[in-house]
Structures are given as C-alpha cells and as structure tokens.
Amino acid sequence: LAVRHATPRSVANSLLPALTHLYLEFSGFTNYETSFVDVVRLLSQAPCLEFLRLQGLANYEALAPSAETNIGPASLPNLRLLVFDDCSNAAISILPYLNAGSTALIRVRIRWMSMRPFVLIMEHFIKGNATKIYLEMSFGAFVLCMEGPSSGLWMGGSDSEDPSAASFNSSLSSTSPFTNVTSFILECHSSIFGNPHIELLRYIPKLAYFDFRIASYSAEDAEEGGDEEV
C-alpha cells in the first residue's frame, strides 16, 4: 500500500493486518494533522510489515512525544527494512516505540542534526548487537553506520554547525552501546577534534580495529599547507 499526502487516520484500519509493504508520504499540510501517537498506533495495527517507508515527517511539535505520552510500542517482528526519508529530528522520536526484529535494516535521513538522534538510536536499536561502527562528521554533515551480525543502521543528515567533541562524547558514553564493537572508524576535520573523541575508546573494551581520520578544516587549508593541527 502506498499513500501520498497521507495522514495515519486516512488509512483504513481494515487494510493493515495483512500488509507486508507500506509507504506513506506526508506533505506540509498533512504534517499538521499528524501526531506522534497517530503514527505509532497506525503501525501497531500492521504487525506483518516487512518493508516500511515514511517520508516527509517534519512537524516537530506534533511528533515530539510529551512527558505525559502513554502509549505502548508497536511490535513489528517481521520488519526487514525501515526507511525514514527527509524527516526532522522529531520523527526519530518514533524509533524507540517500534519493536523491530533482530534482522531489520534501518535507514534514516534527517534534515537537521542534534545529539538526540544518536542517543535514541544507539540506545534502543543496536545497543547489544553492533560490531562495526563508522562515523563521519564534517562541515555540518554527518553519516553514522552501525552493523551487526544480522542488523544494520545508516543515518545521515546535516546541521548549521558541527557538534562539539565534548557534547558528542557525553551523549554516546551515557548510553554505553559499544559492548560488542570490534571495529570503529571515525572521520572528522581538525576544527572539531578533541580529547573526548579518544576518550570514547574506554567504552569499547573489545575494540580490535580502530581507524581514525582527521581531515583539514577546509580544502583551502590543505592547499595552503595549513595542516599543523592535523
């Protein structure tokens, strides 16, 4: 089932119990009619889903759950692929409320970045299964890849400025998701490099392969030989 200009309430409940593929594309005006609770309840009515794609969830106020939100998670034990495309940070708030199977592949592309998506995703999805991590942060953009024996995550997005090393480290270390990680590749440019990046290693006791790449702050710096910090 594929629906454009969708709201969760516009999809007939009677269609959902047997669905294996669902694509919902939200638009600007439907976002204002969509709430966090609506999305979770809709997905809880589709337990057979294997492929799910949600595009354009961007209404931050409606999609950010309040402290009073009392709703159970949606169980999706057969999920194989979950895609959030062109969504805001608030859409990522839905992820902890989806109980996906251990073989799910997750792809997330968000418009703006903050530390919260890192914490939520690492804590709730691949916390005990990830063995390989790749993280790139440069010039307001980021890519995070996590891979386990049967599951995986790709997340990318951008922000107006890079996160500080200290805030990034405190966010990750508070979740301690690295129990089984053996491979860690970290790539960033010199302006955001700091000791907190190295301190992350204390949370990865089984690390066997570490690839640390520090790039010049800009292409101009590299051409002019201004790479002393690197």
Side-chain angles (χ1 to χ4, degrees):
L1 175 64
V3 182
R4 296 186 65 190
H5 307 303
T7 64
R9 297 175 186 176
S10 69
V11 181
N13 292 345
S14 60
L15 294 174
L16 297 181
L19 275 183
T20 57
H21 295 61
L22 177 61
Y23 167 66
L24 296 180
E25 179 182 329
F26 300 84
S27 62
F29 64 88
T30 57
N31 268 311
Y32 289 99
E33 302 173 18
T34 300
S35 72
F36 167 85
V37 174
D38 288 335
V39 176
V40 176
R41 283 179 176 167
L42 168 69
L43 299 179
S44 68
Q45 297 166 8
C48 293
L49 279 179
E50 297 180 21
F51 296 88
L52 172 62
R53 182 185 180 101
L54 301 176
Q55 181 166 340
L57 281 171
N59 184 7
Y60 188 93
E61 290 77 12
L63 289 169
S66 65
E68 294 77 25
T69 299
N70 184 16
I71 182 172
S75 179
L76 303 173
N78 301 317
L79 195 64
R80 296 168 58 189
L81 178 65
L82 170 60
V83 177
F84 280 81
D85 194 16
D86 196 25
C87 296
S88 71
N89 279 341
I92 312 306
S93 299
I94 295 174
L95 283 173
Y97 288 83
L98 303 182
N99 285 342
S102 60
T103 59
L105 300 177
I106 303 168
R107 180 178 176 89
V108 183
R109 188 171 71 85
I110 61 179
R111 297 177 185 175
W112 304 111
M113 170 181 143
S114 74
M115 289 298 99
R116 191 180 184 195
F118 282 112
V119 175
L120 288 174
I121 290 177
M122 286 187 167
E123 182 176 2
H124 291 279
F125 275 81
I126 317 183
K127 181 175 181 179
N129 296 323
T131 57
K132 300 178 181 179
I133 296 178
Y134 169 82
L135 176 62
E136 178 182 351
M137 298 183 295
S138 61
F139 307 110
F142 78 98
V143 174
L144 170 66
C145 300
M146 301 180 72
E147 181 181 351
S150 60
S151 59
L153 165 73
W154 181 97
M155 183 168 69
S158 59
D159 197 359
S160 57
E161 60 184 24
D162 288 307
S164 69
S167 63
F168 175 76
N169 179 61
S170 62
S171 297
L172 293 188
S173 61
S174 65
T175 65
S176 300
F178 305 120
T179 305
N180 297 314
V181 171
T182 58
S183 174
F184 184 31
I185 300 175
L186 175 62
E187 184 168 349
C188 65
H189 58 76
S190 57
S191 68
I192 64 171
F193 168 69
N195 288 333
H197 287 120
I198 302 301
E199 290 174 8
L200 280 175
L201 297 179
R202 70 179 61 186
Y203 302 105
I204 317 178
K206 297 181 181 179
L207 189 64
Y209 176 80
F210 181 43
D211 189 342
F212 190 35
R213 310 168 186 177
I214 312 175
S216 299
Y217 180 70
S218 68
E220 292 76 14
D221 286 344
E223 292 174 359
E224 297 173 2
D227 294 348
E228 290 81 4
E229 293 184 13
V230 178

